[in-house]
Amino acid sequence: MDRSAPPRRVTIVDVARHANVSTTTVSKVLRNAYGASPAMHQKVRKAIAELGYRPHAAARGMRGQTYTIGVMLPDIRNPFFADILDGVNEQLTDTEYQVLLGRGYNGEAAEERVTDTMLDHQMDGVILIAPVSSRARLDHIAATVPMVVVGRHARSAAYDSVADNDTAGAALVVEHLAGLGHRRIAHIEHHETDRDRLAEMPNAIRAQGYRQAMHAHGLADEVDIASTTYTQQGGYLGARQLLARPVRPTAIFAGADIVAMGAIQAIAEAGLSVPDDISVAGYDNTMFAAFDPISLTTVDQAGRQIGANAAQLLVSRIVDRGRRSTQVTLSPTLVVRRTTAAPREE
Amino acid sequence: MDRSAPPRRVTIVDVARHANVSTTTVSKVLRNAYGASPAMHQKVRKAIAELGYRPHAAARGMRGQTYTIGVMLPDIRNPFFADILDGVNEQLTDTEYQVLLGRGYNGEAAEERVTDTMLDHQMDGVILIAPVSSRARLDHIAATVPMVVVGRHARSAAYDSVADNDTAGAALVVEHLAGLGHRRIAHIEHHETDRDRLAEMPNAIRAQGYRQAMHAHGLADEVDIASTTYTQQGGYLGARQLLARPVRPTAIFAGADIVAMGAIQAIAEAGLSVPDDISVAGYDNTMFAAFDPISLTTVDQAGRQIGANAAQLLVSRIVDRGRRSTQVTLSPTLVVRRTTAAPREE
DNA sequence: GTGAAAGCGCTAACAC
DNA sequence: GTGTTAGCGCTTTCAC
């Protein structure tokens, strides 16, 4: 068995020969380009089927399109991103575009590596989900390839963006908790110092929305933020900080469901119960929020829809790179479950 | 602003000119190939840095390697796969290999599409995680590109595989539950009919291991399997089936943590409690199993290690495509938490 | 409407 | 040890 010499791939030349046409014609049929008669189309399609031909994306990339879209996601463990991906794929079904994924690990260096890889593979477009990269870097990518940014409130002429209204989402949570009678409503945020990101990243905007909403409800003095990260570990540590306050909060608004999971764990370890001692709300309405033993009150972001919008914008930009950039903002809704309740009488 | 004409990419010719050497020399330096003096190396590296040159993977793919590895995973929502990916990435850090991901959706058609895409992009190797594709299809891929299969007990001369000993894992669970005094131990499996997959897929082997272990503990008459899927929904439906039995099981061994989640939900909805009324055990030791309010007894598969092994095997096969195939089997361990306890006295 | 031929960026074979 | 050159599979002028 000669495994060292893989069978030669069927090429466009083979198809052309088999169909008795030129490679040009085959290429035109492949791309549905102008200048091939129906008869030619049929002949070529037949030859393609008979030979089991597949165009070679790497070779295509050297001249034209690869029909491949790259999606960068920061964290494969957050099920919310899976919802977005579902939307992307749904939108791309029945198109000729394929999707390949890359992980950004919430770090600029890793994001640069993976986006570079996508560019090196000559992808036709990229969707970046909640990227932490600098604006300059985003502009650089967008200058090279059609790009859509998801979940970051960016307003750039060079690329489109799709985001949820995080200010409104944070307000929904605070309103709900305040309405239940809570005053000491604390927040766990994903720490942010970079100027641009403070203005654009959802975590920063949720934190800002929290502050605003607290003010709006006359609770400005009660603002209390634990600054960690959007991870389970971050939620755990953040809640421990908050529980150690001289006066404990009666409710915690975690910036993401996964953060709420960590917070709930810390609360349980402290011998307190949810929601009797402390109410907890999350953000994202992931499948785990819906999971009965948890039943987390949370904000629903309609990830599928976000993803579908992103894919649609990207494809339209691939078709027309010159068109003006679009910003889509979707509205979140609150899903009340069993982790929030009126505070205990004191 | 002329966004329709992205700036021309820096090519190997630019680097060669800038460094006053030939493109061959640049290419050699890039690949650390034999035949370039240290002085040349330095000159070329300097030019590369100054011009910000990056080799074009698509172009490289037409002649040599792309230094890109494709990983196909069936389900992005199962956090166990994230553990495997971490292992892959860890192993590949400090190598020149980049990783791109594709989703297989647990379906043959989707797996074919995404693996084809990887081949079209001329990836240097692929890692398939728990693929459901036919053996013929796996052989076909392996004939084209170095490949490692993870989590499927395949013995092929054409590719390597890394799997956990699922028979042993299932036995650990049954042993644990029987040791607690359970007799009516039911199992929720991922339904399988295909012959090859029955022999190779972890779900099928876990179910078979369950049967064997029940026999070994003199509980052959108590074997009771609900056949659904490895999803939260599957766990929910499976548990509902089991709860409707004339005589209810006192313990449920779910084939995956995510299945256990659904089962726990069904049990809660039925007004029963875990573990007082029913013990539940999972498989995979995902982060959600460790999550305190759940605290699921489960089997730990050491996903990181699985991934690291897979990546290492793949790279070694890229280097030597002719070498004999290897099968790595890792041993699982049981993690006892709070969802399992002795059955209630009757 | 169709085909011949150039060339995308790179690597490999070969000459020097 | 270094450079010249052919050619990977495809798309794109540009003749016809």
Side-chain angles (χ1 to χ4, degrees):
Chain A
M1 176 167 25
D2 185 14
R3 255 179 294 107
S4 50
R8 200 179 63 78
R9 209 181 151 115
V10 178
T11 75
I12 199 172
V13 177
D14 301 321
V15 176
R17 192 151 32 209
H18 192 82
N20 256 309
V21 299
S22 71
T23 58
T24 309
T25 304
V26 177
S27 176
K28 281 181 174 166
V29 171
L30 284 176
R31 292 174 290 115
N32 276 312
Y34 175 80
S37 64
M40 283 292 163
H41 264 261
Q42 189 162 1
K43 261 167 75 175
V44 171
R45 292 207 185 293
K46 184 153 167 285
I48 287 176
E50 283 173 8
L51 297 177
Y53 167 76
R54 290 184 52 81
H56 195 307
R60 292 185 116 172
M62 299 210 57
R63 297 297 257 144
Q65 295 187 226
T66 54
Y67 298 94
T68 310
I69 285 173
V71 178
M72 187 210 78
L73 64 175
D75 175 10
I76 204 179
R77 287 191 168 75
N78 188 332
F80 174 59
F81 298 130
D83 293 343
I84 296 178
L85 277 182
D86 282 343
V88 170
N89 274 284
E90 208 165 33
Q91 183 73 30
L92 260 27
T93 309
D94 304 326
T95 72
E96 25 199 3
Y97 290 101
Q98 302 296 319
V99 175
L100 287 177
L101 274 34
R103 304 171 77 189
Y105 295 97
N106 275 309
E108 296 200 55
E111 287 191 359
E112 182 165 340
R113 275 181 43 157
V114 75
T115 47
D116 270 342
T117 300
M118 290 175 178
L119 298 184
D120 296 346
H121 277 270
Q122 201 70 16
M123 296 197 174
D124 292 347
V126 294
I127 297 176
L128 308 188
I129 300 179
V132 299
S133 295
S134 68
R135 276 190 199 166
R137 172 70 190 166
L138 295 181
D139 287 338
H140 168 75
I141 300 172
T144 311
V145 72
M147 169 174 118
V148 175
V149 166
V150 170
R152 175 162 167 165
H153 299 246
R155 284 202 155 274
S156 165
Y159 50 87
D160 304 312
S161 39
V162 181
D164 212 69
N165 188 336
D166 292 288
T167 310
L172 285 174
V173 173
V174 170
E175 205 166 290
H176 165 65
L177 291 169
L180 287 171
H182 289 277
R183 294 183 54 81
R184 291 198 303 285
I185 304 169
H187 177 56
I188 302 176
E189 71 164 0
H190 181 99
H191 187 62
E192 197 69 76
T193 52
D194 179 84
R195 243 196 102 144
D196 291 341
R197 287 202 290 265
L198 272 172
E200 298 184 352
M201 295 299 286
N203 48 306
I205 298 190
R206 283 173 206 167
Q208 188 51 30
Y210 157 78
R211 282 191 208 93
Q212 281 176 25
M214 290 293 279
H215 279 259
H217 286 83
L219 300 173
D221 293 345
E222 306 287 354
V223 165
D224 185 4
I225 298 183
S227 197
T228 61
T229 58
Y230 275 7
T231 59
Q232 192 170 349
Q233 171 80 348
Y236 179 83
L237 296 174
R240 298 227 336 177
Q241 278 179 40
L242 294 173
L243 293 176
R245 301 277 197 252
V247 186
R248 234 174 27 216
T250 62
I252 294 178
F253 164 31
D257 283 356
I258 203 151
V259 175
M261 308 267 292
I264 289 173
Q265 179 139 10
I267 292 168
E269 280 184 16
L272 299 170
S273 83
V274 175
D276 295 343
D277 297 306
I278 299 191
S279 285
V280 175
Y283 208 109
D284 289 343
N285 196 24
T286 57
M287 59 184 298
F288 299 96
F291 181 47
D292 191 80
I294 300 176
S295 244
L296 182 70
T297 293
T298 187
V299 177
D300 184 80
Q301 285 206 69
R304 286 186 100 87
Q305 208 180 323
I306 292 176
N309 272 282
Q312 194 215 313
L313 285 172
L314 186 64
V315 170
S316 85
R317 179 163 290 266
I318 290 173
V319 172
D320 174 14
R321 291 183 69 133
R323 81 150 161 68
R324 299 196 53 169
S325 74
T326 313
Q327 286 79 37
V328 173
T329 306
L330 300 171
S331 291
T333 55
L334 186 72
V335 181
V336 177
R337 295 206 183 86
R338 296 201 309 269
T339 55
T340 50
R344 183 172 283 189
E345 304 292 329
E346 311 199 2
Chain B
M1 178 170 18
D2 185 13
R3 256 180 294 106
S4 52
R8 200 179 65 78
R9 209 181 151 114
V10 178
T11 73
I12 198 171
V13 178
D14 300 322
V15 175
R17 193 152 30 212
H18 192 83
N20 256 310
V21 299
S22 70
T23 58
T24 309
T25 304
V26 178
S27 176
K28 282 181 175 166
V29 171
L30 286 175
R31 293 173 291 117
N32 276 309
Y34 175 80
S37 65
M40 284 293 164
H41 264 262
Q42 188 163 1
K43 259 166 80 175
V44 171
R45 294 208 184 292
K46 183 152 169 285
I48 288 176
E50 283 174 7
L51 298 177
Y53 166 76
R54 291 185 51 81
H56 195 307
R60 292 184 116 173
M62 300 213 55
R63 296 299 257 144
Q65 296 187 225
T66 55
Y67 299 94
T68 310
I69 285 173
V71 178
M72 187 210 78
L73 65 174
D75 175 11
I76 204 179
R77 287 192 167 76
N78 188 332
F80 173 58
F81 298 129
D83 293 343
I84 296 178
L85 276 182
D86 282 342
V88 170
N89 275 284
E90 207 165 31
Q91 183 72 30
L92 260 27
T93 309
D94 304 326
T95 72
E96 23 198 6
Y97 290 101
Q98 302 296 319
V99 175
L100 288 177
L101 274 33
R103 303 172 78 189
Y105 294 98
N106 274 309
E108 296 199 54
E111 286 190 1
E112 183 164 338
R113 275 181 42 157
V114 74
T115 47
D116 271 342
T117 300
M118 290 174 179
L119 298 184
D120 296 345
H121 277 271
Q122 202 70 14
M123 297 197 174
D124 292 347
V126 294
I127 296 176
L128 308 187
I129 300 179
V132 299
S133 295
S134 67
R135 276 189 199 166
R137 172 70 189 166
L138 296 181
D139 286 339
H140 169 74
I141 300 171
T144 312
V145 72
M147 169 174 118
V148 175
V149 166
V150 170
R152 175 162 167 165
H153 298 248
R155 284 204 154 272
S156 164
Y159 50 88
D160 304 312
S161 40
V162 181
D164 212 68
N165 187 337
D166 292 288
T167 311
L172 285 174
V173 174
V174 171
E175 204 166 291
H176 166 64
L177 292 169
L180 287 171
H182 290 277
R183 294 184 54 81
R184 291 197 302 284
I185 304 169
H187 178 56
I188 302 177
E189 70 164 0
H190 180 98
H191 187 61
E192 197 70 76
T193 52
D194 179 84
R195 243 196 100 149
D196 290 343
R197 287 202 289 264
L198 272 172
E200 297 184 350
M201 295 298 287
N203 47 307
I205 298 190
R206 282 173 207 168
Q208 188 51 30
Y210 157 78
R211 282 191 206 92
Q212 282 176 26
M214 290 294 278
H215 278 261
H217 285 83
L219 301 173
D221 294 343
E222 307 286 357
V223 165
D224 185 5
I225 298 184
S227 197
T228 61
T229 58
Y230 275 8
T231 60
Q232 192 170 346
Q233 172 80 345
Y236 180 83
L237 296 175
R240 300 229 331 179
Q241 278 179 40
L242 294 173
L243 293 176
R245 301 278 197 251
V247 187
R248 229 170 35 212
T250 61
I252 294 178
F253 163 32
D257 283 355
I258 204 153
V259 175
M261 307 266 292
I264 288 172
Q265 179 140 11
I267 291 167
E269 280 185 17
L272 299 170
S273 83
V274 175
D276 294 344
D277 297 305
I278 300 192
S279 286
V280 175
Y283 208 108
D284 288 342
N285 196 24
T286 58
M287 58 184 298
F288 299 97
F291 182 48
D292 192 80
I294 300 176
S295 242
L296 181 70
T297 293
T298 187
V299 177
D300 184 79
Q301 285 206 69
R304 285 188 100 87
Q305 207 180 324
I306 292 176
N309 271 281
Q312 193 215 313
L313 285 173
L314 185 64
V315 170
S316 85
R317 180 164 289 267
I318 290 172
V319 172
D320 174 13
R321 290 181 69 132
R323 80 147 161 71
R324 300 196 53 171
S325 74
T326 313
Q327 288 80 38
V328 174
T329 307
L330 300 171
S331 290
T333 56
L334 186 71
V335 181
V336 177
R337 295 207 182 85
R338 296 200 310 268
T339 54
T340 51
R344 184 170 283 190
E345 303 293 329
E346 310 197 1

